[in-house]
Amino acid sequence: MVSAALHAECGEALRLRDGHGRALTDLRLSVTDRCNYRCVYCRTGNEGAQFTELPIATYARILRIFVSLGIEKIRLTGGEPLLREGLLDLIRETAEMRPAFSDAPLDIAMTTNGHLLAPMARKLKAAGLTRITVSMDAVDPETFTRITRVPGSFERVRDGIRAAQDAGLGPVKVNCVLLRGFNDSQIEAFAEFSRNENVIVRFIECMPLEEDRTWSPATVVPMKEILARLNAVRPVVALPANHLSETARRFTFDDGVGEIGIIAPVSEAFCGHCSRVRVTSDGKLRTCLFSQSDHDLAGHMLRGAKDVEMESRIRDIVQHKEARHHIGEPGFLKPSRSMVHIGG
Ligand code: SAM
């Protein structure tokens, strides 16, 4: 009989690792590239785009293969995942998968714009979703509409957040992408929102991943400035990281009420501990948000590749995962696909 220690040792050796020795435990899967918002820093706002979705069974097979390789956290994203028919079935099926090298249950999270969340929250929880992140770029309704280009969106999203908290999906994380001159006036109001609604607000520096050309270094609101502004609301206290590959630096206030995360991929890149890979809605493996090319998994599956062949292909591809991104450096090349196609 194999001892527990030997099993653990073999497991570590078999885990999916990139060419830099980093264990890959975190997969983001885009289940659609359709979206009901046209956020100004993400989409062109033009109608008539072509969309690509795969059958739910194909996404489920991709997830199963990755879980067998050592993925422990799955984040469903898009496009807007709540638009995807069959999403609850996919979550149910995923919740039955067991991580290959850990006794802990699989962590199944989702990132959504929250527009359709209120009536769905309990069903998502019952299907097996463990955590939810809602994107919300302003707490002032007018500013929010200017960003999403959908009237009445703020109230819908706020109600979605409250429904998710009530359904037991809390504490909900609320992601806010900050753009200088557009919503940076909202920093103090978000501090109050975190304290009043008991949610974790996370400010994210805008990255060059838009369909239009809106990004420049000047649009980024750096972490130092966000912290200085929060400190003026109340003294800010740093919280310890939950784990090494955590992307957010965590803070609370001196009375312990509210939690703010700052994700600074541009001004303080955290690539060194990256444990993530992504699969796009058309079934392509992307090893970094800023990769210049993707690797077709769905095509191979369609041509009859068996699971063992897919596993070995994935192991080969991740050997070449980028060490880090080069945003802001001379010669940086923006990826040809935007965030909405890659899956945030
Ligand atoms: N529709 C879902 C949503 O709104 O959360 C999921 C997909 S969306 C592309 C995922 C996340 O990426 C959102 O929080 C969005 O704000 C963020 N995002 C989009 N473009 C970005 C950019 N250029 N820089 C940083 N974050 C971005």
Side-chain angles (χ1 to χ4, degrees):
M1 195 176 139
V2 181
S3 74
L6 185 59
H7 187 263
E9 206 175 299
C10 294
E12 281 314 308
L14 292 172
R15 251 183 202 290
L16 189 63
R17 280 183 193 277
D18 69 6
H20 309 282
R22 296 174 294 196
L24 302 175
T25 53
D26 185 341
L27 171 67
R28 297 181 179 212
L29 172 69
S30 172
V31 294
T32 180
D33 50 1
R34 284 182 297 135
C35 193
N36 41 0
Y37 283 0
R38 296 187 305 284
C39 297
V40 287
Y41 58 85
C42 188
R43 309 215 69 160
T44 59
N46 297 332
E47 303 298 342
Q50 295 289 310
F51 298 110
T52 324
E53 288 177 352
L54 298 175
I56 285 291
T58 307
Y59 292 134
R61 182 173 168 210
I62 290 173
L63 290 179
R64 195 176 301 284
I65 291 168
F66 273 98
V67 170
S68 76
L69 287 169
I71 290 295
E72 296 170 359
K73 287 188 198 172
I74 289 168
R75 180 168 292 276
L76 301 173
T77 178
E80 174 45 43
L82 292 182
L83 286 176
R84 182 57 210 255
E85 210 175 305
L87 177 73
L88 290 172
D89 295 331
L90 181 64
I91 295 173
R92 266 184 225 108
E93 196 168 338
T94 309
E96 282 172 13
M97 300 175 195
R98 294 285 162 260
F101 307 116
S102 157
D103 294 331
L106 203 57
D107 184 15
I108 311 169
M110 187 172 72
T111 304
T112 169
N113 63 28
H115 193 78
L116 300 171
L117 182 55
M120 288 280 290
R122 284 187 189 281
K123 293 178 202 158
L124 290 163
K125 172 74 182 173
L129 192 75
T130 42
R131 296 185 294 130
I132 197 157
T133 300
V134 178
S135 305
M136 197 174 108
D137 296 324
V139 283
D140 166 54
E142 261 179 47
T143 311
F144 195 65
T145 294
R146 254 195 307 138
I147 295 174
T148 62
R149 299 190 262 211
V150 173
S153 43
F154 173 75
E155 289 75 10
R156 294 278 299 243
V157 176
R158 185 207 50 208
D159 292 351
I161 291 169
R162 289 179 177 166
Q165 303 265 56
D166 288 348
L169 287 166
V172 171
K173 287 182 182 157
V174 174
N175 278 0
C176 166
V177 173
L178 280 178
L179 280 121
R180 167 102 45 216
F182 213 79
N183 65 347
D184 55 334
S185 63
Q186 300 287 293
I187 292 174
E188 293 80 1
F190 266 116
E192 290 305 328
F193 190 77
S194 168
R195 294 166 63 80
N196 295 338
E197 300 279 336
N198 194 25
V199 293
I200 301 171
V201 169
R202 306 191 317 165
F203 295 112
I204 305 178
E205 290 176 348
C206 189
M207 295 178 281
L209 284 167
E210 72 285 13
E211 280 183 346
D212 276 344
R213 303 220 154 260
T214 50
W215 194 90
S216 80
T219 57
V220 177
V221 185
M223 171 141 99
K224 280 196 183 96
E225 183 179 331
I226 300 170
L227 272 178
R229 298 262 301 268
L230 292 171
N231 249 313
V233 175
R234 274 193 88 100
V236 165
V237 178
L239 291 169
N242 288 317
H243 47 82
L244 207 59
S245 66
E246 186 162 60
T247 52
R249 298 269 297 273
R250 302 169 59 229
F251 303 90
T252 184
F253 295 95
D254 59 345
D255 58 357
V257 179
E259 182 176 329
I260 307 287
I262 304 182
I263 304 181
V266 182
S267 70
E268 314 216 3
F270 38 74
C271 306
H273 297 294
C274 185
S275 56
R276 276 173 296 282
V277 285
R278 293 178 153 80
V279 174
T280 58
S281 61
D282 54 355
K284 298 198 168 111
L285 174 56
R286 196 174 177 94
T287 50
C288 170
L289 261 181
F290 295 94
S291 295
Q292 290 301 316
S293 58
D294 299 322
H295 307 267
D296 192 11
L297 299 182
H300 276 265
M301 289 165 59
L302 207 63
R303 288 189 288 277
K306 300 201 167 45
D307 285 2
V308 284
E309 294 169 86
M310 295 307 299
E311 286 172 15
S312 131
R313 185 171 168 75
I314 291 167
R315 284 192 193 279
D316 287 348
I317 293 168
V318 302
Q319 280 309 302
H320 305 286
K321 178 171 160 64
E322 297 79 347
R324 63 185 186 95
H325 68 66
H326 296 275
I327 304 175
E329 293 174 19
F332 167 75
L333 280 178
K334 189 177 145 181
S336 56
R337 297 176 99 190
S338 71
M339 193 72 150
V340 79
H341 301 291
I342 301 165

